[in-house]
Amino acid sequence: PLGKIQWFKNDKKIRSTITTTDNAVTADLSFVVNYTDNDATYKCEVTHPALEIPLMATQNLKVLFMPEHLTIKQDPVHLKPGAQGTITCEAASSYPAVKMSWWHEGAHVKEGINSYTKPGLYGGKLSTIQLTFNVTPEVDGKVYMCQATNIPLLKNMHKDVSLNVYNKPTFDSLPNLMTYTEGDNIFVTLQAKGRPSQITYKWFKNNKPLYTFHNRRIRDSMVNITGALRDDAGNYTCEASNTEGSSTFWFVILVKHRATITNTSIGVVVTEGEDAQLWCKIDGLPLGPEHISWTRPHFFFDKRTSILLENSTSYLTIINATKFDSGYFFCVVNNGIGNESSHGVLLIVQHKPEILKVGNESKTAGNAGMQAKLHCRAAGAPVIRFSWKREGSNITSVSEKYIVEERQLNETFYESTLTIREVDQYNYGDYECTASNDLGRTTSVNRLTVFSHPDPPFSFQLVNATHDELTVSWSPGFDGGDPITYRIRYRPVDKPTYRYDDVGNETRHTIVGLRPDTTYLLNIMARNRYGDSSYMSQSLKVTMEKENLHHKSNSNSEKSATVAEGTHIVFIFLGLIVGISILVSIFLVTYCIHRRRNVTKQMNNDNNDSSSKTPTIEMYAPNTYNGGYEENLSSISAKSETYSNVSPDYNVSIL
């Protein structure tokens, strides 16, 4: 009989396809190869009753196959900065052994690598690769890729691992200086990273805890300030903490704001020849030397002065101070935010008294039986004391006759008033006032007179002039004890006759109606009910500006053009009316003539030879026009007199 055929895989029967013929039997084995077939022994065995030992044939297979999976392990499980870490990638059994490698951000990692193989299942190899590294905060979040390559199969397989480093929070880099302007909104958000990622935040300002308050809101890593104020400026610190520790980040907020003066030196006192230093303390941002100045009207800041800014304080130094330096100097600051700020700083330079004589106070008027007051004013430092004398005898406050009063008007200005309670004939004359202090004394004379005509004014000067008017000013002289008014006279230099303007008790006046490009002489006198003063010893000489003819010509041209345009319109309107009237008249005349002819023709129908008379129509229309106007111009008369007693004149301005 035919024998029996059986296939075995590693001594385990497997099914096959049997085919028999008359004298033969065949067993076909067909299968899909997988990794279990690597190094497997396939055996075909034939048994027959006539055979004591079965017939056998074997075949060993070699199958190329990829690992079923990759496994990655991390040691230690919790990575912490300062330690050493290892990540191990192991490939399951493969044939042949795969080539193992580590990759990071597309780059092949070659340092810290250790790889090896060992026998695996199904005749394959277990491949392992290790990467050793130092754990730092920067390693956190990095991704490494393990790659296994079967070179004969030209196939790869990959697996990624993300490293988690347990570390205290760290802050992203931010600027340490932030500048805003008062009124701005401030929004600061800090980003801290750490593992574990549960992070708590604390805020501090100038080393003191900071909380939500008023215009400030704090939430986690964010600070929001609405409408920043200068008080919001300072050193800010944010502390971030997790289970691994804490970190801090500090920054400075500057709030630009209007510069203001917060304090100044008070009453700096020096003696003549010493150096004086004045100062003002300033709060503002920005603040630099270019934002600060010291000013004083009519004071020349020359080489004797210097200005220094130090620790938000501006110092003005005046070298070799003189009595003329006494007074207020103004510290002025303006940093471009808001309005400027200024404050007066007083400098007192000690010197002996100087009596200040006002032009109209060297005399005092008083009639018998009346009260009279004599004034004496002096400047100096230290404190000034006054004394009065009459004909060499000291005057004291005797209630029946005299009252002496003293008062301090400001830091260096003092006044003494001598009141004569009831003037008699023996009180008229000169009174001597002496002002003294520790550095010296000064004396002046004040005269008591009866009521009289005033003295002439003084400081008669030009204020402004155009082509047809000018303004002058003056200072009053002694008034004679009675209210005064003024009279100004003026004339062209080439004319002998003066014109006069009477002025009230003001000390400024504008004269109008003058001729352009003409030189005038002006003078002034004072008057009261007791009489007139003389005119000033010198006249004022002023030349007027030339008239702007171009402007006047343009104005006249515009006016003429306007009048011509108006006249043209009137003529056109009148022409239209006349034309319509003529057309109507022609129509009426034609109609009348035509009707007259018809009547005549009807009356003389039988006598064709008789003569006919053409009617004459006369049209009479008055054509007279009476027009015109009369205008009277009123003139303002002014007093004038023939020039005489010419006083010296002086030029003030040539305009």
Side-chain angles (χ1 to χ4, degrees):
L2 294 176
K4 294 182 181 179
I5 300 178
Q6 179 64 51
W7 278 98
F8 294 86
K9 177 182 179 183
N10 294 333
D11 297 328
K12 184 178 179 180
K13 291 182 179 181
I14 56 175
R15 297 181 64 179
S16 60
T17 303
I18 304 297
T19 304
T20 61
T21 61
D22 293 339
N23 57 1
V25 59
T26 304
D28 294 324
L29 180 62
S30 177
F31 59 94
V32 176
V33 177
N34 59 36
Y35 61 89
T36 62
D37 295 316
N38 184 48
D39 268 353
T41 300
Y42 283 85
K43 179 177 66 173
C44 177
E45 183 181 278
V46 179
T47 61
H48 190 271
L51 294 175
E52 292 181 359
I53 299 173
L55 298 175
M56 291 182 295
T58 61
Q59 177 68 51
N60 287 330
L61 296 184
K62 289 294 184 183
V63 178
L64 304 179
F65 63 93
M66 292 290 293
E68 186 177 9
H69 59 269
L70 297 176
T71 302
I72 296 178
K73 296 179 182 179
Q74 176 182 298
D75 183 39
V77 176
H78 288 170
L79 298 176
K80 293 185 177 182
Q84 192 173 68
T86 302
I87 48 177
T88 302
C89 181
E90 185 178 271
S93 183
S94 65
Y95 185 80
V98 292
K99 181 179 180 181
M100 304 291 287
S101 59
W102 282 105
W103 298 77
H104 174 62
E105 295 181 347
H108 187 193
V109 178
K110 297 180 180 180
E111 293 183 359
I113 299 298
N114 179 33
S115 60
Y116 56 89
T117 61
K118 61 183 178 179
L121 297 175
Y122 311 112
K125 296 290 185 180
L126 295 175
S127 300
T128 303
I129 187 170
Q130 292 180 330
L131 170 61
T132 302
F133 57 92
N134 293 323
V135 181
T136 64
E138 291 73 23
V139 172
D140 185 52
K142 288 187 176 181
V143 177
Y144 286 84
M145 181 185 72
C146 176
Q147 177 174 289
T149 303
N150 192 317
I151 295 176
L153 289 177
L154 300 178
K155 288 184 178 181
N156 297 323
M157 64 185 306
H158 310 87
K159 189 170 184 178
D160 295 338
V161 60
S162 179
L163 300 183
N164 296 326
V165 178
Y166 281 72
N167 63 298
K168 66 181 182 179
T170 57
F171 288 93
D172 290 344
S173 178
L174 284 175
N176 291 109
L177 179 62
M178 305 177 188
T179 304
Y180 300 89
T181 301
E182 201 166 35
D184 288 350
N185 295 328
I186 300 176
F187 189 81
V188 178
T189 299
L190 301 179
Q191 292 294 335
K193 296 179 181 179
R195 192 169 303 279
S197 59
Q198 291 76 25
I199 300 174
T200 58
Y201 296 89
K202 292 181 181 179
W203 284 90
F204 302 87
K205 178 187 173 186
N206 298 332
N207 297 322
K208 295 181 180 180
L210 194 65
Y211 305 103
T212 296
F213 177 74
H214 191 46
N215 65 331
R216 180 179 61 239
R217 184 185 178 194
I218 296 177
R219 184 179 179 182
D220 294 333
S221 62
M222 177 225 24
V223 171
N224 185 10
I225 301 176
T226 303
L229 304 174
R230 66 186 67 183
D231 292 338
D232 293 317
N235 297 321
Y236 286 75
T237 303
C238 180
E239 181 183 275
S241 304
N242 65 7
T243 57
E244 299 299 316
S246 63
S247 298
T248 59
F249 179 84
W250 66 269
F251 59 92
V252 176
I253 288 182
L254 300 179
V255 179
K256 295 192 294 185
H257 56 276
R258 173 177 173 257
T260 56
I261 298 172
T262 59
N263 196 10
T264 65
S265 52
I266 300 175
V268 177
V269 180
V270 298
T271 58
E272 281 194 294
E274 290 184 342
D275 294 347
Q277 187 177 74
L278 314 179
W279 58 265
C280 65
K281 189 169 183 61
I282 305 161
D283 175 34
L285 187 73
L287 184 64
E290 68 276 13
H291 303 131
I292 304 170
S293 62
W294 287 81
T295 65
R296 175 174 167 176
H298 313 299
F299 184 87
F300 182 61
F301 287 82
D302 53 12
K303 294 181 179 179
R304 290 196 310 120
T305 62
S306 63
I307 298 174
L308 173 67
L309 177 63
E310 189 175 71
N311 296 328
S312 300
T313 301
S314 178
Y315 296 91
L316 170 64
T317 301
I318 303 171
I319 301 172
N320 192 20
T322 69
K323 61 184 178 182
F324 303 106
D325 299 330
S326 292
Y328 277 94
F329 291 81
F330 292 89
C331 177
V332 182
V333 293
N334 187 351
N335 62 356
I337 302 174
N339 299 325
E340 71 176 25
S341 175
S342 66
H343 197 283
V345 182
L346 178 63
L347 170 63
I348 299 175
V349 180
Q350 293 183 330
H351 61 90
K352 76 174 186 176
E354 289 187 351
I355 292 181
L356 308 176
K357 294 184 179 180
V358 181
N360 57 2
E361 286 191 350
S362 60
K363 294 181 182 179
T364 302
N367 283 341
M370 300 178 61
Q371 185 185 86
K373 290 182 179 289
L374 284 70
H375 300 284
C376 183
R377 297 185 179 93
V383 177
I384 294 176
R385 300 172 297 276
F386 292 92
S387 63
W388 290 87
K389 285 185 179 182
R390 169 85 164 111
E391 296 178 349
S393 299
N394 289 329
I395 297 175
T396 58
S397 291
V398 180
S399 58
E400 293 80 7
K401 192 65 179 178
Y402 300 107
I403 299 175
V404 178
E405 300 172 297
E406 294 184 7
R407 61 175 180 155
Q408 184 174 355
L409 303 179
N410 60 31
E411 290 77 5
T412 60
F413 193 18
Y414 299 81
E415 179 187 59
S416 177
T417 302
L418 172 63
T419 302
I420 305 174
R421 298 176 63 87
E422 188 174 342
V423 177
D424 59 36
Q425 59 181 338
Y426 301 106
N427 298 133
Y428 293 109
D430 293 340
Y431 289 79
E432 189 178 278
C433 172
T434 299
S436 61
N437 64 10
D438 296 342
L439 300 179
R441 61 176 54 205
T442 306
T443 300
S444 70
V445 174
N446 192 323
R447 175 169 294 177
L448 177 64
T449 69
V450 296
F451 281 68
S452 63
H453 65 76
D455 289 345
F458 62 95
S459 298
F460 188 47
Q461 58 188 352
L462 177 70
V463 176
N464 186 36
T466 63
H467 69 281
D468 62 352
E469 66 179 39
L470 60 83
T471 300
V472 290
S473 67
W474 59 92
S475 298
F478 173 58
D479 61 5
D482 196 61
I484 56 176
T485 59
Y486 302 94
R487 168 173 284 187
I488 298 175
R489 70 181 185 185
Y490 57 96
R491 67 176 178 86
V493 293
D494 58 349
K495 301 291 184 182
T497 304
Y498 279 106
R499 296 183 65 84
Y500 297 86
D501 276 7
D502 287 327
V503 186
N505 62 355
E506 62 265 23
T507 57
R508 184 185 181 105
H509 181 64
T510 300
I511 303 173
V512 299
L514 303 177
R515 293 186 302 181
D517 196 22
T518 301
T519 301
Y520 284 87
L521 290 177
L522 302 94
N523 209 321
I524 188 171
M525 61 170 281
R527 50 177 34 177
N528 62 15
R529 60 179 173 173
Y530 296 100
D532 299 347
S533 73
S534 61
Y535 282 95
M536 291 180 58
S537 59
Q538 285 185 322
S539 295
L540 184 64
K541 189 175 183 181
V542 179
T543 300
M544 307 302 292
E545 291 181 349
K546 294 183 179 181
E547 187 174 8
N548 191 340
L549 298 177
H550 176 72
H551 175 72
K552 183 175 180 181
S553 174
N554 289 342
S555 300
N556 291 337
S557 299
E558 292 176 1
K559 184 175 180 181
S560 300
T562 303
V563 172
E565 183 178 356
T567 304
H568 182 65
I569 294 174
V570 171
F571 280 139
I572 292 175
F573 181 71
L574 291 176
L576 290 174
I577 294 176
V578 172
I580 293 173
S581 300
I582 292 174
L583 291 175
V584 172
S585 299
I586 292 173
F587 174 76
L588 293 175
V589 170
T590 302
Y591 175 76
C592 292
I593 293 174
H594 179 71
R595 185 171 181 83
R596 181 72 175 268
R597 285 179 176 176
N598 288 340
V599 172
T600 302
K601 183 176 181 180
Q602 184 176 1
M603 292 176 61
N604 300 302
N605 191 29
D606 295 334
N607 190 6
N608 292 329
D609 296 327
S610 63
S611 61
S612 63
K613 187 180 294 183
T614 302
T616 301
I617 299 177
E618 296 182 358
M619 301 185 66
Y620 173 76
N623 194 21
T624 62
Y625 173 75
N626 294 324
Y629 64 90
E630 180 178 341
E631 180 179 289
N632 293 324
L633 299 177
S634 62
S635 62
I636 301 173
S637 62
K639 294 183 180 181
S640 64
E641 66 178 19
T642 303
Y643 166 71
S644 63
N645 298 326
V646 178
S647 58
D649 52 353
Y650 60 95
N651 292 312
V652 170
S653 177
I654 301 298
L655 304 175

